[in-house]
Amino acid sequence: MTIASNTQYKWRLDIIRGHVKIGEAKAISVSCKFDESADVTRTMSAEVPTDGFIVNSPSSLISVTYDMFTDRLRPVVVIDDTEFDLGDYIVIGAPKESNGKTNTYSIEAYDETMILKEAAAEDRLYFAAGSRYLDIINTLLTNCSLTRTISDLTDATITADREFAIGTTYLSIINTLLAEINYSNIHAGSSGNLYLTKYRSKVASDYAYTSKNATLIGSVKCDTDIYSLPNVIIGYVSNPDIDTTLICKKVNDSPVSEISTVKRGYKVVSAKEYNDCPDQATLQGIVDQRYMDATQATETAEITTLPDGPHEYGSYCALDINGTSALYREVGWSVVFNGQMSHSLERKVFA
C-alpha cells in the first residue's frame, strides 16, 4: 500500500481468548520483531501497567479478568481505516517493575510456535512406515492444542519406521520432517495461524519502495560475500531401515561463475544428510533449492520506512532507490508502536 504524508496511525494491543478479542491492554510501549532464521520467528516486547488489562465482561453479574498464562496479546496497527494484525503472542516472561509511582509488567512474548519449542517427547515417539508426513505433523500440533493451520497439501509418506528420542522438542521433529519434503520451517502469520508451506521464491513484490515513495525514510546498505560459497551440493538419505539409497549431487562447473570448479580449480563441497525422503524427485528438488541458495552470493539491504502492512513470512520487497533496483526477500523486520519499521532484506546474486 502507498502511505501518504497525511496518513493517520492508531495502535492497539488486543487481548485474545479462544481466537476472539475480549479486551485491550493499555500499553505504555510495544515493539514487535520478525526473524525468518529464528526457531520462533515472531517476538513482542511490551510495557503494560499492572492494572492496564481491560477485559469486557458479558454482564455486570459476571467478572472476567485477563489470564496471562492462557490469553494471547495481539498488537494491531490501524492505517487510516484499515487494520493490520501483527501476530498473536504468548507471554513467556512478565517481571513486575515499580518506580514508586506506577507498577508495570515488562512483557516478553512469542508467537505460538514457542509452544512447540517447549513441548517435547515424554516417551520415544514411533511412527510407522507409510505414515503421511502431514498426518504426523498434525498429530503433534493437535497434542499441543494448535489447530489453526494453513498447509500446502502433499501425500508424501515416510519410507521407514521412525522414532524420536525422549526430550526431542516437537518443533525440532516438525521442522526435520518438513525439511525432508522441501517445506519451509513451521511459522506463524500475522493473523495467528500456523503455516506448513513449500519453500517459494517470487518474481513479484509484495511491497515497493522507491526514492519517490513517501514511506521511505532510511538508506540502503548492501554487502556481498562469495568466499565461503560451495560449488558442489550433495543431498543423501542414510538410514539402515531403507532398502534404496537416495543421493543427489549438483556441481557448479560453469566457466562464467566466479566460484565454479572451473574458475576456482578445486571443489568446495556442501553435503547434507537426511534421515528420510519420500522419493528421488523430492530429494532432487531439495538439492536444486540448496544449489540455488548456496551457489549464489547474498546481497543484503537495510531500510527504514513507515509501517505499511502485515509483512508475512516470505514477503518480497522491490527497491528502486539510491542506484539500487532489485527484488529482495524480507528476512527480518521490527516495528515500534508510534514509530518506524525497519526491514532486513536479502537477494541472491549469481557469483
Side-chain angles (χ1 to χ4, degrees):
M1 65 182 297
T2 300
I3 303 298
S5 58
N6 61 347
T7 297
Q8 299 295 312
Y9 283 87
K10 295 179 183 179
W11 304 83
R12 294 198 319 265
L13 185 57
D14 291 346
I15 299 171
I16 306 298
R17 179 173 297 172
H19 313 302
V20 177
K21 177 180 176 179
I22 62 168
E24 295 182 17
K26 306 303 181 183
I28 298 170
S29 64
V30 178
S31 63
C32 302
K33 293 183 179 180
F34 167 80
D35 180 356
E36 185 181 85
S37 65
D39 289 339
V40 179
T41 60
R42 290 176 182 258
T43 61
M44 184 193 75
S45 300
E47 185 179 2
V48 182
T50 55
D51 60 355
F53 299 94
I54 312 302
V55 176
N56 304 319
S57 297
S59 74
S60 59
L61 301 177
I62 301 176
S63 177
V64 180
T65 59
Y66 168 65
D67 189 323
M68 190 172 290
F69 290 98
T70 59
D71 292 337
R72 306 289 184 253
L73 296 176
R74 176 184 295 166
V76 180
V77 56
V78 185
I79 306 177
D80 288 332
D81 295 323
T82 304
E83 294 191 1
F84 297 101
D85 299 335
L86 298 175
D88 285 0
Y89 295 88
I90 308 167
V91 175
I92 299 299
K96 188 183 295 185
E97 300 179 358
S98 176
N99 61 8
K101 295 182 179 179
T102 59
N103 297 315
T104 60
Y105 288 115
S106 182
I107 291 174
E108 291 296 324
Y110 295 81
D111 71 57
E112 286 191 323
T113 57
M114 176 57 77
I115 295 174
L116 299 171
K117 188 171 184 177
E118 294 189 324
E122 300 177 41
D123 301 294
R124 292 192 67 86
L125 290 180
Y126 169 81
F127 302 103
S131 300
R132 295 174 69 247
Y133 275 90
L134 290 185
D135 288 345
I136 296 173
I137 292 170
N138 284 321
T139 295
L140 298 177
L141 293 172
T142 301
N143 289 345
C144 294
S145 299
L146 297 174
T147 57
R148 294 180 66 201
T149 59
I150 296 175
S151 176
D152 288 340
L153 298 180
T154 177
D155 290 324
T157 61
I158 58 175
T159 61
D161 295 346
R162 295 290 289 275
E163 285 192 356
F164 293 94
I166 296 173
T168 309
T169 68
Y170 280 17
L171 187 63
S172 173
I173 295 171
I174 288 172
N175 285 337
T176 295
L177 295 173
L178 290 174
E180 292 174 3
I181 53 175
N182 204 20
Y183 276 47
S184 298
N185 285 349
I186 187 171
H187 54 274
S190 60
S191 63
N193 293 321
L194 301 185
Y195 287 82
L196 308 170
T197 56
K198 298 176 182 178
Y199 183 88
R200 295 182 177 90
S201 296
K202 295 182 180 178
V203 295
S205 65
D206 301 290
Y207 297 90
Y209 303 111
T210 72
S211 300
K212 296 180 180 179
N213 191 326
T215 67
L216 186 65
I217 298 171
S219 59
V220 177
K221 300 176 182 178
C222 298
D223 183 34
T224 302
D225 179 14
I226 67 171
Y227 298 102
S228 60
L229 295 179
N231 50 28
V232 179
I233 305 296
I234 299 172
Y236 64 99
V237 176
S238 178
N239 188 329
D241 296 324
I242 299 176
D243 295 332
T244 304
T245 300
L246 299 181
I247 185 168
C248 286
K249 179 170 69 173
K250 195 158 186 173
V251 179
N252 178 3
D253 54 7
S254 171
V256 298
S257 170
E258 292 296 324
I259 65 169
S260 71
T261 56
V262 175
K263 282 282 191 175
R264 275 178 168 163
Y266 60 92
K267 295 180 179 179
V268 179
V269 179
S270 174
K272 187 169 183 178
E273 179 182 2
Y274 299 89
N275 187 271
D276 196 4
C277 190
D279 50 50
Q280 186 75 23
T282 301
L283 184 61
Q284 185 66 59
I286 293 172
V287 170
D288 288 346
Q289 184 61 59
R290 287 184 54 222
Y291 179 88
M292 291 295 293
D293 289 340
T295 61
Q296 299 179 75
T298 300
E299 181 180 275
T300 64
E302 302 285 339
I303 64 171
T304 304
T305 72
L306 295 174
D308 58 357
H311 289 261
E312 302 288 3
Y313 184 105
S315 289
Y316 275 72
C317 300
L319 300 188
D320 187 8
I321 51 178
N322 299 342
T324 298
S325 181
L327 183 66
Y328 289 82
R329 183 180 178 92
E330 187 173 50
V331 296
W333 54 257
S334 62
V335 63
V336 178
F337 272 28
N338 300 310
Q340 302 172 350
M341 187 171 190
S342 299
H343 311 258
S344 298
L345 310 176
E346 289 185 358
R347 76 180 183 113
K348 296 296 185 178
V349 183
F350 282 102

